[in-house]
Amino acid sequence: MDGAQQRTHTRSDAVRSRVALTDAVERLLREGRVDFSIPELASEAGLGVATAYRHFPAPSDALHAYYARAAGELVEALRDIDVDLDPVRRFETHCREWIAQAQTWGPAVRHIRSHEGFIERLDNGDPSIVALYSALDAVLQALVDAGHMPAGDRRVAVLLWITIFDERVVYDLEHHHGWTAEQIVEHLGRAARGALRIT
């Protein structure tokens, strides 16, 4: 194996290790094990402790990486929605996809909510929040442009939408209230449309 192949192999191993560790974070969080140590994370991932420390010097780093991955998956799914849909249909499709995503990672993410507010994190340039805001703001702008929503402070409008679709709400309605995904989409979508005055 020459030097270039060795570097590629090493990078591939590093990527696989990071994915394994981030997957392990999700499993630990789903079990409610928020205060795990790096050795516990390494054991859950089936990796050596030194490898885990190379990726995540502290548990908070692992938690941040998991949150960023979940937020990134949501943003990617929302960006895949056809921008040429009727604005109201586009909004509804975003709501439906958001619930589908939240059902996947919400049971884990609900344990690691930031103590900072959404607008605070947006102003501070948090990459995950900036990307999510950008995706949602474009949907609301299309609604405003089409006359389906009043113009106003869209930072607040996005905040309201995010608050209604909080993964803890989705988790609670699914796991403790017994609602189906369709019921959750219908009720939260109606609440968001009312809060945002979408017609």
Side-chain angles (χ1 to χ4, degrees):
M1 185 180 297
D2 64 25
Q5 289 173 319
Q6 180 65 42
R7 285 190 296 277
T8 300
H9 180 71
T10 301
R11 281 195 297 272
S12 296
D13 285 347
V15 168
R16 280 193 295 274
S17 295
R18 191 172 183 89
V19 169
L21 287 163
T22 311
D23 288 346
V25 171
E26 179 172 19
R27 291 193 298 275
L28 291 170
L29 290 174
R30 282 177 175 271
E31 296 170 7
R33 294 170 59 190
V34 181
D35 297 324
F36 59 82
S37 66
I38 294 299
E40 289 171 324
L41 177 61
S43 176
E44 179 67 29
L47 296 170
V49 174
T51 299
Y53 273 115
R54 273 197 301 276
H55 287 280
F56 303 125
S60 59
D61 298 312
L63 291 170
H64 180 76
Y66 176 70
Y67 180 86
R69 184 175 82 175
E73 289 172 358
L74 173 60
V75 169
E76 282 302 310
L78 297 181
R79 284 183 176 158
D80 285 343
I81 295 170
D82 185 357
V83 298
D84 293 325
L85 288 173
D86 168 83
V88 174
R89 176 81 185 278
R90 186 178 171 198
F91 170 80
E92 292 169 347
T93 304
H94 274 69
C95 291
R96 181 166 278 100
E97 183 59 40
W98 195 336
I99 296 303
Q101 288 288 319
Q103 288 180 300
T104 301
W105 41 252
V109 169
R110 69 191 177 95
H111 290 290
I112 53 172
R113 299 291 297 187
S114 173
H115 64 279
E116 296 176 312
F118 171 78
I119 293 175
E120 178 182 6
R121 293 169 72 189
L122 182 64
D123 287 344
N124 289 337
D126 180 312
S128 298
I129 297 302
V130 170
L132 182 58
Y133 176 82
S134 177
L136 299 178
D137 182 56
V139 176
L140 299 186
Q141 179 64 59
L143 287 165
V144 170
D145 291 346
H148 291 293
M149 179 179 153
D153 187 339
R154 280 208 313 281
R155 283 168 26 121
V156 172
V158 171
L159 174 63
L160 289 174
W161 193 2
I162 285 174
T163 301
I164 292 166
F165 276 71
D166 187 300
E167 59 272 1
R168 292 170 296 186
V169 174
V170 175
Y171 174 84
D172 215 16
L173 291 174
E174 180 183 12
H175 292 275
H176 297 285
H177 199 59
W179 278 6
T180 65
E182 197 55 44
Q183 287 175 302
I184 297 170
V185 170
E186 179 187 346
H187 284 78
L188 296 190
R190 189 184 315 133
R193 285 182 68 148
L196 301 174
R197 294 185 288 163
I198 297 170
T199 58

